[in-house]
Amino acid sequence: NAGVTQTPKFRVLKTGQSMTLLCAQDMNHEYMYWYRQDPGMGLRLIHYSVGEGTTAKGEVPDGYNVSRLKKQNFLLGLESAAPSQTSVYFCASSYSSQLGTDTQYFGPGTRLTVL
Amino acid sequence: DAKTTQPPSMDCAEGRAANLPCNHSTISGNEYVYWYRQIHSQGPQYIIHGLKNNETNEMASLIITEDRKSSTLILPHATLRDTAVYYCIVRALYNTNAGKSTFGDGTTLTVKP
């Protein structure tokens, strides 16, 4: 049981380049999330998904797109990278128990630098 | 959706109890209080959550005031490995506020020898 994994761990892009970050979870969770964390700050939600084939915008969605074609995978895409997107990106997944509660499990993060 | 307020930093002596406060004065009746921590640059780790009763697990205790407007996370015997950023967030039943899942800046706890 690997939990939540993220690929790649590190990446350097030039302005205008595109890339896709992959998040995978093996816990059969319905919900998945993408966050970004800038230096010295908390996590901000980019996009999330409440199930296979569904996605929704979080608080800072501009410049990013996502897809959830399979329940276990959640992809985050940057179509035209900008220096302002230099950050650490965390993926998380969660389930809602019978009590209606929700606990998020996080991946190790992807450190992205845009030059 | 309820927002939370935490002190930016706290110190604690090794072996002593660390008490981390969180204010959530606008919390709704269907919202849980969750605590996570982030050690160095790792992904956040779940600690504990509660609705209105005090909760305890192998990591910590959570004390929620009767009016639910504030809570305290207690690490009973802090160790150097507990040095981390601690986040207090609120989450609605059945994740109905999933799109509002922001962790804020948290409290940086430094455990000193």
Side-chain angles (χ1 to χ4, degrees):
Chain A
N1 190 334
V4 180
T5 58
Q6 294 183 230
T7 308
K9 290 185 171 56
F10 302 93
R11 185 71 185 268
V12 178
L13 291 178
K14 294 182 179 179
T15 297
Q17 287 185 318
S18 64
M19 77 163 294
T20 301
L21 282 65
L22 171 63
C23 175
Q25 52 94 6
D26 60 3
M27 297 173 283
N28 201 35
H29 286 172
E30 289 294 331
Y31 297 87
M32 296 188 75
Y33 311 81
W34 276 108
Y35 295 88
R36 62 176 288 173
Q37 185 175 36
D38 298 331
M41 298 181 66
L43 285 77
R44 292 182 294 170
L45 183 65
I46 305 172
H47 286 280
Y48 66 102
S49 168
V50 300
E52 181 179 326
T54 70
T55 63
K57 294 180 180 180
E59 295 190 85
V60 288
D62 294 342
Y64 305 94
N65 57 75
V66 289
S67 63
R68 183 101 182 267
L69 299 179
K70 295 182 179 180
K71 185 177 183 179
Q72 63 269 32
N73 296 336
F74 196 27
L75 279 63
L76 177 71
L78 285 72
E79 295 177 340
S80 180
S84 61
Q85 294 177 304
T86 293
S87 190
V88 180
Y89 292 85
F90 288 102
C91 175
S93 69
S94 71
Y95 63 92
S96 288
S97 71
Q98 290 181 346
L99 292 175
T101 60
D102 152 71
T103 298
Q104 295 184 59
Y105 296 84
F106 284 82
T110 293
R111 284 147 185 79
L112 175 66
T113 301
V114 183
L115 302 175
Chain B
D1 56 301
K3 298 189 186 302
T4 62
T5 303
Q6 300 177 252
S9 64
M10 294 182 64
D11 290 342
C12 177
E14 188 177 19
R16 304 297 293 270
N19 297 284
L20 291 89
C22 180
N23 180 288
H24 32 79
S25 58
T26 60
I27 192 170
S28 301
N30 68 341
E31 289 182 317
Y32 284 76
V33 179
Y34 280 80
W35 283 83
Y36 290 80
R37 73 179 183 183
Q38 186 175 26
I39 296 174
H40 195 46
S41 300
Q42 301 175 19
Q45 173 192 26
Y46 165 79
I47 301 173
I48 198 168
H49 73 278
L51 184 62
K52 54 183 179 181
N53 298 321
N54 298 337
E55 302 288 344
T56 296
N57 63 20
E58 65 278 5
M59 292 182 66
S61 294
L62 174 61
I63 308 298
I64 302 174
T65 58
E66 191 170 345
D67 62 9
R68 303 210 322 124
K69 293 184 177 182
S70 65
S71 61
T72 301
L73 178 74
I74 301 173
L75 307 178
H77 305 286
T79 70
L80 298 179
R81 288 177 294 180
D82 292 322
T83 293
V85 179
Y86 288 78
Y87 298 100
C88 166
I89 65 172
V90 294
R91 304 278 288 182
L93 280 173
Y94 300 108
N95 214 7
T96 53
N97 65 348
K100 305 292 184 183
S101 180
T102 290
F103 276 53
D105 294 336
T107 295
T108 299
L109 174 68
T110 303
V111 180
K112 299 183 176 182

